[in-house]
Amino acid sequence: MNAPVPHLAPAAPLAGADRGFLQDVLAGLGSPRKHLSAKYFYDRRGSELFEAITRLPEYYPTRTELAILDRYGPEIGAGLPPGSGLVEFGSGSTAKVRRLLPHLPDLAAYVPVDVSEEFLRSEAEELGRDFPRLRVEPVAADFTKPFALPDELKDAPKAGFFPGSTIGNFEPEMASGLLGSFARTLGPGATLIVGIDLVKDKAVLDAAYDDSAGVTAAFNLNLLARINRELNADFDLDAFAHQAFFDENLGRIEMHLVSRRSQLVTVAGVPFHFGSGETIHTENSYKYTVPGFRALARGAGWEHRSVWIDPDGLFSVHALTASTIRRH
């Protein structure tokens, strides 16, 4: 990405504003190709909208991955050593790990890792009530950065869980780095269970990210509403349109917000001009072939062990073993 434009500073400090959010927005909108980080989608309203997206008929990834975990849970669970500590990176809702837990009776502990501490604690407490014999050790951290596991797991074998094809939101080089970071966190010989969305017909992919009910459009536009509310901006949401498409050459879905007209927008007192048709790039979602993901994992120090795919070939769940710990 391009470096921030030096003069883009807010007119005055914003009380209670997240400085990182503000700086990222100013830098992204000040770049020659405007962009915003997808991690800022998930305020309370954004999280509600995403949950609604997962229930849409066009959006196959969530229900397909859950079906794979239900069907192959015993096989997946059998591949984890007894007494393992299971670390879920970016745990969010515990819906998916709940499908695996019945097949993991000998877990030493479950370690959900998420940046949203309040939601993390709430989910951990509810999971503990539903699985009273399970030791739950939540860690509030950004999984894209180094963090420490609980001391109690020091001598236990480690396993990681990274569902949802979240890795597709990272550029391939960054995805490789993230897989390498997971290997360093979990240690040599660790297992990683990871969900990967597969390359498929363009029409299926386009519909999944541009549904007929307009829920994904509302999700995308909510990012501007959040900027208005938290960063003293004046985006006119009706002046932007949702756009999503699969780029077959790059192997990724791109999501954009398209300016419907020439306009000026201010964020914390800083002006930004938009030409008619100019876009803000808000998200990528890379899709992989099975051989393509195997190569990515191998380059990050993981051996590919198993893969489970739904009957329609839409989604895959992979088991990897950490073979080489790559240092920075």
Side-chain angles (χ1 to χ4, degrees), residues 6-20:
H7 69 276
L8 294 183
L14 297 176
D18 183 320
R19 296 295 298 180

Side-chain angles (χ1 to χ4, degrees), residues 100-112:
L100 280 185
L101 289 176
H103 310 295
L104 301 170
D106 299 319
L107 275 187
Y110 167 62
V111 182

Side-chain angles (χ1 to χ4, degrees), residues 247-266:
D247 186 317
E248 294 176 282
N249 292 324
L250 295 175
R252 71 187 189 190
I253 284 281
E254 291 188 12
M255 286 207 331
H256 295 257
L257 290 165
V258 185
S259 180
R260 297 179 185 272
R261 54 179 169 78
S262 178
Q263 57 183 307
L264 188 70
V265 175
T266 62

Side-chain angles (χ1 to χ4, degrees), residues 53 56 58-59 206-217 242:
I53 288 169
L56 293 169
E58 297 98 328
Y59 193 78
D206 286 348
Y209 291 83
D210 193 8
D211 60 278
S212 58
V215 182
T216 311
H242 168 70

Side-chain angles (χ1 to χ4, degrees), residues 37-327:
S37 173
K39 70 181 180 181
Y40 295 118
F41 277 135
Y42 299 97
D43 62 353
R44 181 173 181 177
R45 179 58 178 158
S47 296
E48 291 171 350
L49 286 166
F50 182 73
E51 286 303 311
I53 288 169
T54 66
R55 298 189 292 269
L56 293 169
E58 297 98 328
Y59 193 78
Y60 62 86
T62 301
R63 64 174 177 269
T64 307
E65 185 176 31
L66 288 172
I68 292 172
L69 295 175
D70 286 341
R71 181 174 182 178
Y72 298 107
E75 290 181 38
I76 297 170
L80 272 62
S84 293
L86 180 64
V87 180
E88 182 171 2
F89 300 97
S91 54
S93 164
T94 58
K96 291 175 182 175
V97 78
R98 286 172 180 270
R99 306 300 180 102
L100 280 185
L101 289 176
H103 310 295
L104 301 170
D106 299 319
L107 275 187
Y110 167 62
V111 182
V113 181
D114 201 276
V115 72
S116 178
E117 185 167 5
E118 183 180 356
F119 185 64
L120 173 71
R121 302 291 176 187
S122 173
E123 287 289 307
E125 289 172 7
E126 185 175 348
L127 191 71
R129 288 193 294 270
D130 294 341
F131 293 84
R133 295 184 180 180
L134 178 66
R135 180 175 182 175
V136 182
E137 297 278 356
V139 173
D142 181 346
F143 70 83
T144 67
K145 300 175 182 177
F147 65 91
L149 294 176
D151 291 339
E152 293 82 357
L153 294 184
K154 182 178 179 181
D155 297 323
K158 312 293 190 305
F161 186 44
F162 195 43
S165 199
T166 304
I167 201 161
N169 295 135
F170 296 85
E171 297 292 325
E173 183 177 351
M174 295 178 65
S176 178
L178 188 61
L179 289 173
S181 175
F182 290 172
R184 289 188 291 275
T185 297
L186 298 172
T191 297
L192 179 64
I193 306 300
V194 56
I196 298 295
D197 200 3
L198 298 175
V199 173
K200 58 188 67 65
D201 184 78
K202 177 174 168 36
V204 174
L205 287 165
D206 286 348
Y209 291 83
D210 193 8
D211 60 278
S212 58
V215 182
T216 311
F219 173 73
N220 202 7
L221 286 162
N222 181 67
L223 179 54
L224 301 186
R226 180 182 181 184
I227 294 170
N228 280 351
R229 184 177 64 254
E230 298 184 22
L231 302 182
N232 191 26
D234 58 2
F235 279 102
D236 177 0
L237 272 60
D238 291 333
F240 288 84
H242 168 70
Q243 180 186 65
F245 58 89
F246 181 60
D247 186 317
E248 294 176 282
N249 292 324
L250 295 175
R252 71 187 189 190
I253 284 281
E254 291 188 12
M255 286 207 331
H256 295 257
L257 290 165
V258 185
S259 180
R260 297 179 185 272
R261 54 179 169 78
S262 178
Q263 57 183 307
L264 188 70
V265 175
T266 62
V267 180
V270 179
F272 298 96
H273 178 265
F274 288 83
S276 179
E278 186 176 4
T279 78
I280 309 171
H281 191 167
T282 55
E283 185 178 39
N284 291 324
S285 183
Y286 282 86
K287 311 305 175 184
Y288 289 91
T289 63
V290 171
F293 178 68
R294 283 176 174 159
L296 179 76
R298 186 168 53 250
W302 292 91
E303 293 180 3
H304 195 275
R305 199 170 73 210
S306 303
V307 60
W308 300 272
I309 302 173
D310 66 283
D312 295 322
L314 298 173
F315 201 91
S316 59
V317 174
H318 301 248
L320 311 174
T321 301
S323 57
T324 305
I325 307 303
R326 308 235 169 149
R327 302 298 172 187

